[in-house]
Amino acid sequence: PLTMQDDILNPKNAKSKVKNRKTAIEIYPGVHEAIYPHEIWEKNQGLRAAKGKTPTTSKTPKRIYMLSGIARCWECTPFANPGAIITLRGTSNGSGKRIYRCALLHGKSKAELSAQGEAEMLAGLNLQATPTGAVDELVARHQKTSLPAEQLEAQVDKLVAQLVIPESWYENILAYFLSLDGPAEFKRRSYNLRQEMQSYKIQHLEGVIDAAELRSHTIRIGRELSQLSPQADPRARALAPLLGDFPALWTKLSPGRRRTLLGKMFEGLYFDSTGQLVEARARAPFDKLLKLAEASEKMV
């Protein structure tokens, strides 16, 4: 087949795309016994996704910081350019305790920042130009250089505990629990069953099958359609009660799963230099479910 990039006069010069060797061309179901259960494989995949590119070795603890990539430094916000994000980085101190530190000042002393020169520092760190003394003011705003992870995460746990999942969401959540395609999978199966029923009706009109056989197919397909619901699936029945108590469900999630959910729920969680949650910027519709939209309107 020809494309706009082909050389019509010299067809042999047609460029062919190099396939990514890591991308599977075809996938076949395995026929051998699994080395370990599929549930463990999924758990490991979630752990790997939550850590991103963080190196993990036998000498490096497998620590996942729930607020990594979501927690923001409130003190740096007035200095940052529009669109710039100054995060709080999860790490451990000399005592091995979990803490969060401002990524802007992490590993830099006031003397080191001053030596860079204010213009160079502001440009290199994506901060807006400010009057002389910006370095001193920026450092002074950070009363503490490290914030206890438990203090920050406890505030987020308390905020998220206010979430009540609407019952209208249950069907879709259970659908995604049962299939990666979610509701689309059930719609596709429903469509196929209805098309199958239509085919039997046509066969009956053409005399291929009699009324008794048509009746049998009608009863069978009708039964399958009535059971074609995520809530009717036995595998989802144990999950349905948990959706009505999200705070309890939240406590059962691993830090990696919590981090993933927080990334979907919030654009950013802003903490000041004392570790207090100053502002939570939730994405729709979680802003309304957590009543943050009402709080913002009152502030305005």
Side-chain angles (χ1 to χ4, degrees):
L2 297 176
T3 67
M4 297 301 294
Q5 286 73 37
D6 285 338
D7 188 343
I8 304 299
L9 299 179
N10 301 284
K12 294 184 179 181
N13 294 337
K15 297 181 180 179
S16 59
K17 295 183 179 179
V18 179
K19 295 183 179 180
N20 186 353
R21 295 182 179 180
K22 296 182 179 180
T23 303
I25 299 176
E26 291 186 40
I27 298 179
Y28 300 92
V31 295
H32 62 277
E33 184 179 355
I35 300 176
Y36 54 87
H38 182 72
E39 292 75 13
I40 296 180
W41 180 84
E42 287 187 329
K43 184 177 180 180
N44 289 338
Q45 293 301 311
L47 180 66
R48 184 66 267 172
K51 290 186 68 64
K53 296 183 179 180
T54 306
T56 300
T57 64
S58 59
K59 297 181 180 180
T60 305
K62 297 181 180 179
R63 292 186 172 181
I64 298 177
Y65 294 86
M66 185 177 76
L67 303 180
S68 292
I70 305 168
R72 309 276 192 263
C73 180
W74 178 258
E75 309 301 344
C76 292
T77 302
F79 297 85
N81 281 315
I85 296 176
I86 310 299
T87 62
L88 294 178
R89 184 178 302 169
T91 183
S92 57
N93 58 15
S95 303
K97 294 183 178 180
R98 297 168 55 253
I99 61 173
Y100 288 95
R101 291 180 177 176
C102 173
L104 179 62
L105 300 182
H106 181 55
K108 297 178 182 179
S109 64
K110 178 179 178 180
E112 291 173 335
L113 289 172
S114 300
Q116 285 184 319
E118 291 195 0
E120 180 182 351
M121 186 271 289
L122 293 172
L125 299 176
N126 199 18
L127 301 180
Q128 60 186 355
T130 58
T132 303
V135 174
D136 296 336
E137 182 181 353
L138 185 63
V139 175
R141 291 176 65 97
H142 294 74
Q143 300 179 27
K144 296 181 180 179
T145 57
S146 62
L147 305 173
E150 291 77 9
Q151 176 186 352
L152 275 62
E153 293 173 357
Q155 297 177 72
V156 176
D157 288 338
K158 183 178 179 180
L159 173 62
V160 174
Q162 303 176 28
L163 178 64
V164 177
I165 301 178
E167 292 187 8
S168 59
W169 290 20
Y170 287 12
E171 190 81 6
N172 286 345
I173 293 176
L174 295 176
Y176 280 110
F177 169 73
L178 297 170
S179 172
L180 293 177
D181 291 334
E185 170 67 18
F186 291 86
K187 291 180 180 179
R188 181 165 52 249
R189 289 163 58 184
S190 175
Y191 174 80
N192 291 338
L193 286 173
R194 296 181 187 280
Q195 288 296 106
E196 182 182 357
M197 187 67 253
Q198 185 64 24
S199 175
Y200 286 127
K201 290 180 179 179
I202 295 175
Q203 293 180 44
H204 174 63
L205 292 175
E206 294 177 349
V208 178
I209 60 177
D210 56 23
E213 187 174 353
L214 175 63
R215 177 66 175 169
S216 298
H217 289 303
T218 302
I219 294 175
R220 175 184 60 82
I221 294 177
R223 185 185 302 112
E224 292 183 17
L225 286 172
S226 64
Q227 297 176 351
L228 193 59
S229 168
Q231 294 184 349
D233 193 298
R235 295 173 295 171
R237 290 174 184 170
L239 179 61
L242 295 176
L243 299 178
D245 188 1
F246 186 77
L249 178 60
W250 180 258
T251 60
K252 297 178 183 296
L253 298 178
S254 66
R257 297 295 185 185
R258 295 185 189 183
R259 176 180 171 181
T260 301
L261 275 180
L262 289 175
K264 302 293 184 181
M265 296 168 62
F266 297 95
E267 182 275 331
L269 297 166
Y270 292 79
F271 295 87
D272 64 15
S273 62
T274 64
Q276 295 300 312
L277 180 61
V278 178
E279 183 180 353
R281 299 179 185 176
R283 308 179 191 274
F286 298 102
D287 53 346
K288 294 183 179 179
L289 294 178
L290 294 171
K291 299 181 181 180
L292 296 177
E294 297 176 7
S296 299
E297 292 176 0
K298 291 180 180 179
M299 292 177 63
V300 175

